[in-house]
Amino acid sequence: MKRTFPCEQSFVDYLAIERGLTERSIEAYCIDLRVFAGYMDERAAGWDVAGVTDKHVRGFLGYLKKERDNGPITRNRKLASLRSYFQFLELEGHIREATSPTRRLRDVKTSRTLPVFLNQADGEALLSGAKMDSRYPERDYALIQFFLQTGCRLNEVVQMELDHLHLGEGYVRVRGKGGRERFVPLTESTCRALEAYLVVRSPKVQTKRVFLSHRGIAISRRGVQELFERICKKAGVEREKLSVHKLRHTCLTLLMKAGVNLVTLQEIAGHENISTTGIYVHVTRNEVRAAMEKHPLG
């Protein structure tokens, strides 16, 4: 973070301890502040954070759009970072609420896109593909099965530890965004897949992480993505911009289609706001509309 931002370490501590954010999220906040500092350095020599106004922040958002070609979602994220920082300064008494430069600013409107997901046949093909020509078939199968059944985020799966699994009781304890914990039930087939994997799991270094690379160390986010891409290729499941996160969308969409109510789906997904979960309703509504267009008397 630029030295022009006061309370650097205190802000980082606030994000980590009081907001419960991960190191990755905190680094993203800091990068956003550095970009803003660079913008201010070029336009207001000797500027001070107490002198930042909403006009400066609006100019920054315009700069992000015109000169950095940032879309609405990216601009909103950077605005959220600035909003959090100035709210922190208010709490610490460094600025007054009335002078906060983000107080009157609203998020940029975004068009809400429907999530990309795989159908049931694709999911079954991935599970079969996980066992094809693999050096670690038990792990690959358990990993894909876990993603498809629980709808967990990539980061949640990578960071999952052995004592989070309760296979005898049939559930997993998941640590999600902001340090929030939730308990996700596991199906019998998922428990069996995990049990088979744990029998052959051989760490080369002492680690509590559940999923390991073929070298016996904790698997990375990139490692999971590369594994997923290989399995997709073997299974013949290839879509544009296909990523591991689509398995989360697939799980939640299939559950919604199966009749799981929105509140239960929110709990499974670990969404803080039910409006986030609501996007999966739109997916099923589209299918209902498409079906109704086939009505013989329509």
Side-chain angles (χ1 to χ4, degrees):
M1 209 182 301
K2 292 269 186 175
R3 58 184 176 82
T4 43
F5 283 100
C7 310
E8 172 182 343
Q9 189 56 50
S10 296
F11 179 57
V12 170
D13 292 342
Y14 161 75
L15 294 176
I17 299 170
E18 296 187 43
R19 294 278 302 277
L21 300 186
T22 63
E23 288 184 15
R24 192 163 171 263
S25 295
I26 292 171
E27 179 60 22
Y29 274 70
C30 293
I31 290 172
D32 292 341
L33 292 181
R34 291 184 200 120
V35 173
F36 179 70
Y39 167 83
M40 292 296 292
D41 287 341
E42 292 179 2
R43 289 159 180 80
W47 68 281
D48 182 80
V49 72
V52 175
T53 66
D54 54 0
K55 183 178 179 180
H56 291 128
V57 180
R58 285 195 184 95
F60 175 61
L61 294 174
Y63 155 79
L64 293 174
K65 179 180 180 180
K66 295 174 185 176
E67 298 188 36
R68 293 176 66 101
D69 198 27
N70 287 169
I73 293 175
T74 301
R75 301 202 303 275
N76 284 338
R77 195 202 71 223
K78 286 181 167 58
L79 176 58
S81 297
L82 290 175
R83 190 178 284 133
S84 293
Y85 176 69
F86 285 106
Q87 285 174 348
F88 167 75
L89 292 184
E90 288 176 27
L91 290 172
E92 294 292 302
H94 295 287
I95 63 173
R96 293 182 296 110
E97 181 181 355
T99 64
S100 175
T102 59
R103 186 171 61 92
R104 291 180 293 181
L105 297 181
R106 299 290 179 265
D107 286 351
V108 182
K109 286 187 177 180
T110 59
S111 57
R112 200 164 193 185
T113 57
L114 295 178
V116 176
F117 60 93
L118 302 174
N119 58 36
Q120 184 175 343
D122 288 334
E124 291 170 350
L126 284 179
L127 289 170
S128 297
K131 296 179 179 180
M132 295 180 188
D133 303 320
S134 172
R135 286 184 287 180
Y136 214 162
E138 295 87 358
R139 179 208 59 184
D140 295 355
Y141 182 81
L143 187 62
I144 297 299
Q145 174 75 17
F146 188 86
F147 272 118
L148 285 171
Q149 192 253 290
T150 65
C152 283
R153 302 177 179 93
L154 173 56
N155 212 44
E156 293 169 345
V157 176
V158 168
Q159 295 183 353
M160 188 169 61
E161 298 184 350
L162 292 170
D163 60 1
H164 295 168
L165 292 175
H166 300 270
L167 301 182
E169 292 80 13
Y171 72 90
V172 60
R173 178 164 53 89
V174 179
R175 185 176 178 84
K177 288 186 176 181
R180 295 185 298 273
E181 288 193 344
R182 67 186 187 278
F183 296 91
V184 180
L186 298 174
T187 64
E188 184 178 345
S189 60
T190 302
C191 287
R192 286 200 307 267
L194 287 167
E195 287 168 352
Y197 160 61
L198 292 177
V199 169
V200 299
R201 175 184 174 275
S202 301
K204 296 286 173 58
V205 296
Q206 191 63 33
T207 177
K208 295 180 181 179
R209 295 288 172 84
V210 173
F211 289 106
L212 308 180
S213 71
H214 69 275
R215 293 176 293 154
I217 62 175
I219 197 168
S220 65
R221 291 170 54 88
R222 184 61 202 157
V224 174
Q225 179 61 35
E226 289 174 351
L227 171 64
F228 173 68
E229 290 170 1
R230 288 198 301 271
I231 292 174
C232 285
K233 190 172 183 179
K234 286 187 290 186
V237 177
E238 298 187 66
R239 304 281 189 281
E240 188 178 356
K241 296 181 180 178
L242 197 57
S243 68
V244 176
H245 196 66
K246 302 304 184 290
L247 296 180
R248 173 171 167 83
H249 292 325
T250 299
C251 169
L252 299 176
T253 301
L254 291 176
L255 287 173
M256 174 64 75
K257 289 181 179 180
V260 176
N261 66 69
L262 206 57
V263 174
T264 302
L265 201 67
Q266 178 192 10
E267 178 65 24
I268 293 170
H271 288 151
E272 186 175 12
N273 194 317
I274 199 167
S275 64
T276 306
T277 319
I279 196 168
Y280 296 99
V281 175
H282 299 306
V283 172
T284 54
R285 280 178 181 167
N286 279 359
E287 289 199 343
V288 170
R289 178 175 293 278
M292 192 57 72
E293 288 176 354
K294 299 176 182 178
H295 196 301
L297 299 179

